């Protein structure tokens, strides 16, 4: 690609300002209070795709939030790349921990991002990474260097399970037909250690409700005589891990893929400093499954975490009450071959079985998705690897990610094509957390690298 | 006492309406947002004591909410009764479970209260029971039948630990000098089974905070690799009880008074239906310490209950986050001889000792108080017993209560006098819960019984 660097240099300020405008929109899909903001964001994405040179752009209605679809078909005989991203974001709370309002983007320099980073909810996950593709498209079309066909599919429900996207994909296989799927919704090891994600964990997310007495009770008059739903819930949650932090749900590990010593040795080569890791999180020690390293625990091993818990009096001061109900949101990260629906069922059966008499239990599955692994010998991976070599001057490291993009395995199943996960964020970018940010370097490097992928993928496909 | 029944009959409507006005005031001492309402309530109590015939009534400032003090000294040679009550109330939440707004009192008939009950926060605990004494005083003064001296001490911080009352009592021993202390802040077994509370449990109330990583984390990228404060808190809470529901805190039971088989047999005589108990709470089974009955579990045995727990994402939908912090409010009910400050310390030491590396722990004591036992051979108890016989036509049953009135043991220590707990509420009145209420029968029966206590106590003191 000619003069991509000069093009970026020339338009850098505009690229950043356009992203900032997009980040000002609170497109929180999990909270229905933001419905209009999510819909407005879809419109903004539509306009940006049109400006980037897509021929036909449409807002595709679903039973939930719409999917923005756009394409540019230059030659049926050339390969087609399908770009997937999402315009919805995670809820920003706890708000009090943000140093600046989540939807008022600011650029600040950090140790990791000496060139500055954009702080806002969605900066990295996924508006910033999605918008890299829009700007890369703009470059290729405005300089007449688009080497192949492109399809964009940007959804608004990734943070709540993509259930309507799944239906859309099943019903539009011809429309979405492609040779490779390209997604930037993951991270890389460091700005000077480029990596490509070759594995994703699956996810099962459930909500549990424990009900004891039919009303809140005075803890003096009833304390010790009736099952306290909060104590019971704590006991049940605690029992889900044994003393080695193995998960105790019967059958949970049955289909877990055990990596060979060789594969684990390969993984261990990735640069990692446990000291820096602990320092960055300000923890004295890491914690997890016995006999596995930190990098293994959060990539090749399944996990179970409580994401939220509540019950009883949580206000100021003291209230001597035994709550009628206690609740928790629990998610399990799964590895390839674990089926999320089967695991959800195993959880439900087990959790219900350990509830003592005196309480009733309700388990509500929220959503989930399968894990995924990309072969590194595919044309797609090779093209991505060459693209990084070109722009970073280094061969990227293949890396398993602990995160989940449930839709990826569905893409393979329905569209019969592989997904390449070109992520430019860093683990320290605090996605899903207060003060989420995305490095300006990473944003621009992504815009620079993506067109290279188009070029090499088209060449390697000949 | 002459024509007490006819006096009550004549003024019944006014008695109820006056209480309803008092219940409209949201005097929530735990929540500083209601400061002005608490202060206004103190003023209202002052006025009511003046109207009831107290000679000197004053609002005594403290470092917290004021104490309303009033007295009528008719003859230094006659005995003096000190009446204690409180004008503050518990927080009303969860608000959505109230059938009518907590501070908009309504009278409704129920199975237990066929004559109707007043529904409002504080109806029974303690505004309704406190106001019985004000109206009983009105009757005695307006009909010139007050047989002895009276002192009223009505505080506004009972629901938050009475710490300023303790100071007030220590500093005003002469002013508060009395022969017996009379409190209506407990219950009785049933409207046709009068009982007098002879024991109270102590209380230790703490708040715990578990901190893991220095920020909320993405559960995909970090799940399984760092200590999750919610999972850890659940594990720590679960470990506080063993498989027999004994509390595992070292030293916790060291000073617990074990009742003799004879005493337990006496207790077992109190009318109790486990079936009705379970039915009233809509639970399939009771739950508690092995080898003790339900009535023993909530009266003569110490307990540990979580009163509130929170952490992570508790909003609508799903958020895949590992929270930086998790919190719980935990209270322990104590029995006579257990020292609440010692138990609080034992809890703190133990809870800190079981926190794994990777989290930091903060334990904050909220408040507490000692347990208490009244001898049934005292003049005070005998006078109370005769009063009930007179108005209920039955001898009341002496009963240990599971609740706590921390200040009672301090009264004995500082004022060297015994407390008589003449409670007219029922366990089913839902104090500290949504839809708290107080039976009209109970309210009026209290007003009728209290003057009888004055009469018999004065006679027996000669």
């Amino acid at each position: 690609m000619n003069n991509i660097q000069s093009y970026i240099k020339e338009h850098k300020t505009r690229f950043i300002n356009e992203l900032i405008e997009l980040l000002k929109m609170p497109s929180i899909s999990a909270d229905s209070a933001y419905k209009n903001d999510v819909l407005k964001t879809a419109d903004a994405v539509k306009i940006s795709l049109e400006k980037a040179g897509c021929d036909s752009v449409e807002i595709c209605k679903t039973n939930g939030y719409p999917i923005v679809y756009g394409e540019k078909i230059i030659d049926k005989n050339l390969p087609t790349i399908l770009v997937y991203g999402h315009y919805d974001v995670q809820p920003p709370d706890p708000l009090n921990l943000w140093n600046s309002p989540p939807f008022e983007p600011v650029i600040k320099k950090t140790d990791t991002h000496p060139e500055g980073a954009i702080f806002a909810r969605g900066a990295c996950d996924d508006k910033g990474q999605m918008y890299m593709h829009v700007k890369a498209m703009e470059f290729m079309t405005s300089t007449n260097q688009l080497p192949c066909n492109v399809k964009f599919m940007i959804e608004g429900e990734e943070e709540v399970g993509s259930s309507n996207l799944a239906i859309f994909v099943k019903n539009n296989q011809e429309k979405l037909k492609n040779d490779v799927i390209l997604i930037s919704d993951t991270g890389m090891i460091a700005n000077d250690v480029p990596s490509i994600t070759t594995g994703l964990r699956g996810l099962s997310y459930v909500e549990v409700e424990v009900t004891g007495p039919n009303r809140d009770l005075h803890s003096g008059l009833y304390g010790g005589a009736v099952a306290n739903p909060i104590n019971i819930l704590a006991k049940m949650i605690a029992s889900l891990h044994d003393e080695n932090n193995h998960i105790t749900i019967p059958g949970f590990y049955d289909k877990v893929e055990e990596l060979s010593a060789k594969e684990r040795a390969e993984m261990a080569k990735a640069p990692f400093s446990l000291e820096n890791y602990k320092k960055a999180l300000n923890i004295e020690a890491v914690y997890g499954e016995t006999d596995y390293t930190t990098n293994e625990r959060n990539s090749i091993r399944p996990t179970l975490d409580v994401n939220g818990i509540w019950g009883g009096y949580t206000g100021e001061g003291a209230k001597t009450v035994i709550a009628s109900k206690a609740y928790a949101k629990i998610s399990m990260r799964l590895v390839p071959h674990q089926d999320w629906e089967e695991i959800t069922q195993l959880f439900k059966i087990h959790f219900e079985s350990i509830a003592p008499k005196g309480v009733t239990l309700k388990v509500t599955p929220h959503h989930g998705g399968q894990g995924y692994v990309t072969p590194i010998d595919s044309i797609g991976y090779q093209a991505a690897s060459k693209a990084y070599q070109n722009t970073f001057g280094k061969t990227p490291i293949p890396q398993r990610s602990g995160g989940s993009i449930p839709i990826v395995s569905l893409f393979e199943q329905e569209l019969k094509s592989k997904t390449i996960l070109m992520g430019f964020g860093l683990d320290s970018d605090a996605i899903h957390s207060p003060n989420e940010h995305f490095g300006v370097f990473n944003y621009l490097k992504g815009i620079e690298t993506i067109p290279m992928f188009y070029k090499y993928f088209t060449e390697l496909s000949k």
Side-chain angles (χ1 to χ4, degrees), chain A:
Chain A
M1 298 275 172
N2 302 327
N3 49 46
I4 172 74
Q5 283 93 345
S6 59
Y7 188 90
I8 290 171
K9 199 166 178 190
E10 187 186 338
H11 299 281
K12 174 182 172 177
T13 314
R14 177 173 58 85
F15 286 177
I16 292 169
N17 292 338
E18 285 177 15
L19 175 55
I20 283 174
E21 289 310 307
L22 196 63
L23 292 170
K24 287 179 182 172
M25 302 178 163
S27 51
I28 305 163
S29 51
D31 188 341
S32 50
Y34 294 87
K35 187 174 181 191
N36 288 335
D37 300 293
V38 183
L39 294 172
K40 278 191 205 138
T41 311
D43 296 332
V45 171
K46 176 175 187 284
I47 293 163
S48 71
L49 285 174
E50 286 163 344
K51 285 190 181 161
C54 285
D55 288 335
S56 57
V57 186
E58 43 183 327
I59 299 247
C60 307
K61 286 209 169 47
T62 74
N63 289 332
Y65 289 117
I67 292 153
V68 184
Y69 178 84
E71 64 177 33
K72 188 169 186 69
I73 307 299
I74 56 172
D75 180 344
K76 292 222 168 326
N77 302 318
L78 287 169
T80 299
I81 295 170
L82 173 64
V83 176
Y84 163 82
H86 63 94
Y87 62 83
D88 63 322
V89 301
Q90 278 276 314
D93 45 301
L95 283 168
N96 59 315
L97 295 183
W98 283 78
N99 300 329
S100 58
F103 298 106
E104 297 173 24
V106 290
I107 297 179
K108 280 181 290 186
K109 289 188 164 65
T110 72
D111 297 349
T112 330
H113 298 293
E115 298 178 36
I118 304 165
F119 284 77
R121 167 59 82 229
C124 180
D125 179 16
D126 180 50
K127 284 175 177 170
Q129 298 215 70
M130 175 270 287
Y131 207 67
M132 296 183 308
H133 289 269
V134 179
K135 293 298 97 180
M137 177 72 173
E138 173 196 309
F139 163 73
M140 292 184 284
T141 55
S142 62
T143 59
N144 299 310
Q145 295 186 77
L146 183 64
C148 60
N149 306 312
V150 194
K151 295 175 178 178
F152 281 88
M153 176 170 64
I154 315 300
E155 74 153 319
E157 298 186 313
E158 196 273 342
E159 302 294 4
V160 292
S162 304
S163 50
N164 290 300
L165 181 72
I167 297 163
F168 180 78
V169 169
K170 285 193 174 91
N171 298 340
N172 293 277
Q173 301 193 343
E174 189 51 40
K175 180 195 191 89
L176 300 173
K177 201 166 181 308
N178 66 78
D179 298 286
V180 72
I181 298 164
L182 187 57
I183 303 178
S184 297
D185 195 17
T186 50
M188 58 182 190
I189 293 169
N191 286 357
D192 57 354
V193 187
S195 60
I196 297 172
T197 301
T198 55
L200 292 166
R201 289 198 284 191
L203 178 71
S204 167
Y205 199 113
V206 300
E207 187 159 325
V208 300
E209 173 188 309
V210 177
T211 303
N214 52 3
R215 58 180 171 89
D216 287 5
L217 300 175
H218 184 294
S219 68
L221 302 184
Y222 292 90
V226 299
N228 176 329
I230 301 177
N231 289 76
I232 297 295
L233 178 58
K235 222 184 178 77
M236 292 171 71
I237 289 170
S239 77
L240 294 174
H241 290 91
D242 68 15
E243 64 284 4
N244 296 316
N245 281 309
H246 290 303
I247 293 155
T248 57
I249 300 166
F252 185 83
Y253 291 100
D254 287 0
K255 297 182 178 170
V256 169
E257 164 203 54
E258 291 290 344
L259 269 66
S260 67
K262 185 167 168 302
E263 289 172 293
R264 292 176 67 178
E266 270 305 311
M267 275 190 71
K269 288 186 187 153
F272 176 76
S273 157
L274 189 59
E275 281 320 302
N276 295 347
Y277 185 86
K278 289 190 288 184
K279 198 159 150 247
L281 301 175
N282 189 27
I283 51 176
E284 192 193 338
V286 292
Y287 186 93
E289 193 178 5
T290 310
D291 302 334
Y292 292 93
T293 67
T294 292
N295 277 337
E296 290 171 337
R297 286 167 174 172
N298 62 22
S299 62
I300 62 168
R301 297 297 296 170
T303 63
L304 184 150
D305 274 295
V306 181
N307 302 110
I309 191 166
W310 68 103
Y313 182 65
T314 60
E316 190 186 342
K319 188 168 190 280
T320 51
V321 67
I322 292 175
S324 171
K325 290 173 181 288
Y327 308 82
K329 294 174 191 274
I330 300 173
S331 68
M332 290 159 280
R333 297 285 170 167
L334 311 175
V335 294
H337 310 322
Q338 281 184 300
D339 176 78
W340 79 269
E341 280 167 321
E342 183 188 351
I343 293 291
T344 303
Q345 199 51 31
L346 288 176
F347 175 91
K348 192 173 188 299
I349 291 163
H350 175 67
F351 211 63
E352 286 168 351
S353 75
I354 60 176
K357 277 187 178 181
V359 302
T360 57
L361 193 69
K362 199 168 120 200
V363 176
T364 312
H366 264 307
H367 63 268
Q370 311 294 28
Y372 181 74
V373 180
T374 313
I376 64 173
D377 54 7
S378 67
I379 290 176
Y381 186 87
Q382 294 307 322
S385 183
K386 283 167 73 84
Y388 280 80
Q389 287 168 49
N390 182 301
T391 54
F392 283 85
K394 290 182 180 179
T395 305
I397 296 169
Q399 186 199 28
R400 292 276 194 106
S401 161
S404 306
I405 310 177
I407 207 68
V408 170
S409 62
L410 182 114
F411 286 160
E412 178 164 37
Q413 183 189 319
E414 299 294 329
L415 305 177
K416 311 283 180 278
S417 53
K418 287 286 178 190
T419 293
I420 302 303
L421 299 160
M422 285 174 62
F424 294 90
L426 302 180
D427 284 0
S428 55
D429 287 345
I431 66 172
H432 291 213
S433 308
N435 307 308
E436 174 179 355
H437 55 281
F438 189 36
V440 170
F441 167 86
N442 307 69
Y443 178 53
L444 299 177
K445 209 69 178 169
I447 298 172
E448 181 185 347
T449 307
I450 290 161
M452 295 296 154
F453 174 82
Y454 280 59
K455 175 176 181 288
Y456 295 124
F457 185 75
T458 309
E459 288 173 5
L460 291 169
S461 301
K462 281 175 181 147

